[in-house]
Amino acid sequence: AQKITQTQPGMFVQEKEAVTLDCTYDTSDPSYGLFWYKQPSSGEMIFLIYQGSYDQQNATEGRYSLNFQKARKSANLVISASQLGDSAMYFCAMREDDTGRRALTFGSGTRLQVQP
Amino acid sequence: GAVVSQHPSRVICKSGTSVKIECRSLDFQATTMFWYRQFPKKSLMLMATSNEGSKATYEQGVEKDKFLINHASLTLSTLTVTSAHPEDSSFYICSAYLAGTYEQYFGPGTRLTVT
C-alpha cells in the first residue's frame, strides 16, 4: 500500500486565490511527522511546513497552512493568496518515528500552476 | 536555516566511468544523511541512509556495489556511482538530518547524465 498518496497530478489556480493540495497517508505508528516541500524547476527541495502527529493545532507558516485531519489520515496543504512564484511541484512526505527510520517517504507530487 | 551543499550540480560522464557526488552540511554536524534519487517528473525515492562512521543502509533493490556511500566525517557524505550506465542518469539529492529536531535539510541536487 502507498504510504503517501497525492491524488492530484496537476492543479491550476488563479493568482490571489487559495488552493488546497491533497495528501493522505498510511501508517500504524502513533508517532510520525508530515512535511510539505516545494520543488521549483531548479530541483531544490524547499521546506514549507511540518505537522507532528501529536500536535493539537494545525501548522501554519505564512501563506501556508496544513489541514491535519488525523482520523481521516489526511494532511492537505492550503496555500492562500497564490502568487505566480508558487508554480512548482509540491510533495507531501512522512517520517515514521517508531521505526527509528528518519528518512522521508514522499508522495508522487502535485504540479501547481498559478495563472495570472 | 541550516545549509546543505552538493557538488557537482551537474555532471556528464561516459558509460563505464565512475562519478563521485559530495554532500556537505555546512553549518551543523550530521550523523545521518540520506541519498534520494528522482527520475524526471517522478517523486524522490530513498536509496540509502548514510551513517557517520559506519556502513550505509541501502533500500531494497539498490545495488550497494554500484552506489558506494562513504560518510567519513560529520559534515560529509559521498555517493559514488560506479561503472555508470545511461540508466543511472537521474537527479540525485541528499539530505542531512539535524539531530534532536524534526528538520531535514536538502541539498540542491546533482543532475547526472551518462552518455
Side-chain angles (χ1 to χ4, degrees), chain B residues 64-109:
Chain B
K64 60 182 70 176
D65 293 332
K66 179 164 190 61
F67 298 100
L68 300 179
I69 290 172
N70 188 342
H71 194 155
S73 78
L74 287 171
T75 59
L76 174 63
S77 174
T78 60
L79 168 68
T80 301
V81 183
T82 62
S83 188
H85 287 105
E87 57 265 31
D88 299 324
S89 298
S90 191
F91 192 57
Y92 293 88
I93 310 177
C94 71
S95 73
Y97 172 67
L98 187 60
T101 75
Y102 64 79
E103 299 178 59
Q104 278 197 31
Y105 296 93
F106 282 84

Side-chain angles (χ1 to χ4, degrees), chain B residues 29-63:
Chain B
Q29 295 183 331
T31 56
T32 303
M33 292 183 174
F34 304 98
W35 287 95
Y36 296 86
R37 181 175 182 176
Q38 185 179 29
F39 289 106
K41 301 189 189 302
K42 297 292 185 183
S43 187
L44 280 73
M45 299 297 293
L46 180 68
M47 297 175 66
T49 301
S50 172
N51 302 298
E52 187 268 336
S54 64
K55 290 184 179 180
T57 305
Y58 290 82
E59 294 300 294
Q60 193 172 7
V62 177
E63 298 175 59

Side-chain angles (χ1 to χ4, degrees), chain A residues 31-37 47-55 57-61 64-66 68 77 93-95 97 104, chain B residues 101-104:
Chain A
S31 178
Y32 52 89
L34 297 160
F35 300 75
W36 277 92
Y37 286 88
F47 167 75
L48 296 179
I49 197 165
Y50 168 81
Q51 180 86 40
S53 58
Y54 294 118
D55 293 343
Q57 295 193 330
N58 286 344
T60 60
E61 289 284 350
Y64 305 107
S65 60
L66 199 151
F68 182 45
L77 176 71
M94 176 172 65
R95 185 200 67 239
D97 297 332
L104 301 182
Chain B
T101 75
Y102 64 79
E103 299 178 59
Q104 278 197 31

